[in-house]
């Protein structure tokens, strides 16, 4: 390629159009490995997994709300009421609080915590203690930690 310099003189220069693309072996190798990862065009398409579409939160009418409150005051748990009315247990709690219902705290009494400590120290697992006391295992764990009980790992060894 030529460029005219002042007074008609011609200067020859070249432009490197390929630059970093002359040695394409690494790029080709990378592209080929990516192509091998793609499914073949004649391969059957895997169906996408069926997922439930998020729906609108179920609203309770006045009569259902009244029945829910009566059920709770009669001794039903928020889990039972949630199942009965087709709503989440947290929604049950929200409805009850919105209507000024005092929530029961289903924890462990001091005597139950004493018993849980004894059972845990003789080797009972948290899940078994929780089942016996009709509470969640995390509740038992938290009460034992509050009492300073040294916890075991999942294999029964002290941590």
């Amino acid at each position: 390629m030529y460029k005219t310099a002042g007074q008609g003189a011609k200067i020859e220069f070249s432009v490197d159009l390929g630059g970093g693309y002359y040695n394409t072996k690494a790029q080709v190798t990378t592209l080929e490995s990516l192509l091998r990862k793609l499914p073949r065009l004649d391969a059957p398409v895997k169906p996408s997994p069926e997922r439930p579409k998020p729906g609108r939160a179920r609203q309770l009418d006045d009569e259902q709300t009244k029945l829910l409150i009566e059920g709770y005051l009669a001794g039903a748990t928020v889990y039972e009421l949630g199942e009965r009315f087709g709503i989440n247990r947290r929604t049950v709690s929200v409805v009850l609080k919105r209507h000024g219902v005092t929530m029961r705290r289903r924890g462990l009494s001091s005597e139950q915590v004493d018993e849980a400590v004894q059972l845990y120290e003789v080797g009972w697992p948290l899940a078994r203690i929780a089942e016996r006391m009709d509470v969640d295992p995390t509740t038992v764990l938290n009460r034992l930690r509050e009492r300073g009980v040294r916890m075991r790992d999942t294999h029964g060894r002290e941590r």
Side-chain angles (χ1 to χ4, degrees), residues 10 25 29 41 61 82 88-89 114 116 149 152 157 159:
K10 292 184 179 179
K25 183 172 181 159
T29 304
L41 293 176
D61 60 28
N88 190 286
R89 61 144 178 104
D114 293 339
V149 174
R152 301 183 299 262
R157 300 178 298 240
R159 293 182 185 193

Side-chain angles (χ1 to χ4, degrees), residues 60-78 80-82 84-85 87 91-104:
L60 300 179
D61 60 28
D62 292 339
E63 181 63 27
Q64 291 172 319
T65 302
K66 181 180 170 213
L67 291 172
L68 182 124
I69 293 169
E70 289 172 358
Y72 186 77
L73 295 175
T77 66
V78 290
E80 293 167 345
L81 293 168
R84 185 183 315 163
F85 289 94
I87 57 178
T91 306
V92 173
S93 297
V94 168
V95 169
L96 294 171
K97 287 177 186 171
R98 186 182 311 134
H99 288 85
V101 177
T102 305
M103 302 294 293
R104 294 187 300 267

Side-chain angles (χ1 to χ4, degrees), residues 16-159:
D16 183 10
L17 298 175
Y21 298 105
Y22 282 140
N23 186 1
T24 59
K25 183 172 181 159
Q27 294 166 337
V28 169
T29 304
T30 303
L31 284 173
E32 286 173 342
S33 70
L34 288 172
L35 281 172
R36 283 191 296 273
K37 293 178 182 178
L38 290 173
R40 294 186 2 230
L41 293 176
D42 59 346
V45 178
K46 288 191 333 186
S48 61
E50 289 294 322
R51 293 188 181 103
K53 293 181 181 174
R56 183 166 181 221
R58 187 166 182 281
Q59 300 292 316
L60 300 179
D61 60 28
D62 292 339
E63 181 63 27
Q64 291 172 319
T65 302
K66 181 180 170 213
L67 291 172
L68 182 124
I69 293 169
E70 289 172 358
Y72 186 77
L73 295 175
T77 66
V78 290
Y79 292 93
E80 293 167 345
L81 293 168
E83 197 169 307
R84 185 183 315 163
F85 289 94
I87 57 178
N88 190 286
R89 61 144 178 104
R90 289 180 293 230
T91 306
V92 173
S93 297
V94 168
V95 169
L96 294 171
K97 287 177 186 171
R98 186 182 311 134
H99 288 85
V101 177
T102 305
M103 302 294 293
R104 294 187 300 267
R105 186 170 189 272
R106 284 201 53 221
L108 296 174
S109 67
S110 182
E111 295 79 23
Q112 287 176 310
V113 176
D114 293 339
E115 182 183 357
V117 169
Q118 291 173 348
L119 293 172
Y120 188 77
E121 287 177 346
V122 296
W124 280 40
L126 290 174
R128 187 171 169 202
I129 298 169
E131 185 178 319
R132 176 184 174 119
M133 300 188 173
D134 195 29
V135 293
D136 190 88
T138 306
T139 302
V140 176
L141 174 66
N142 290 335
R143 298 300 82 78
L144 294 179
R145 283 182 174 162
E146 287 171 2
R147 292 278 181 100
V149 174
R150 190 162 174 84
M151 305 311 293
R152 301 183 299 262
D153 67 8
T154 56
H155 301 286
R157 300 178 298 240
E158 283 196 26
R159 293 182 185 193

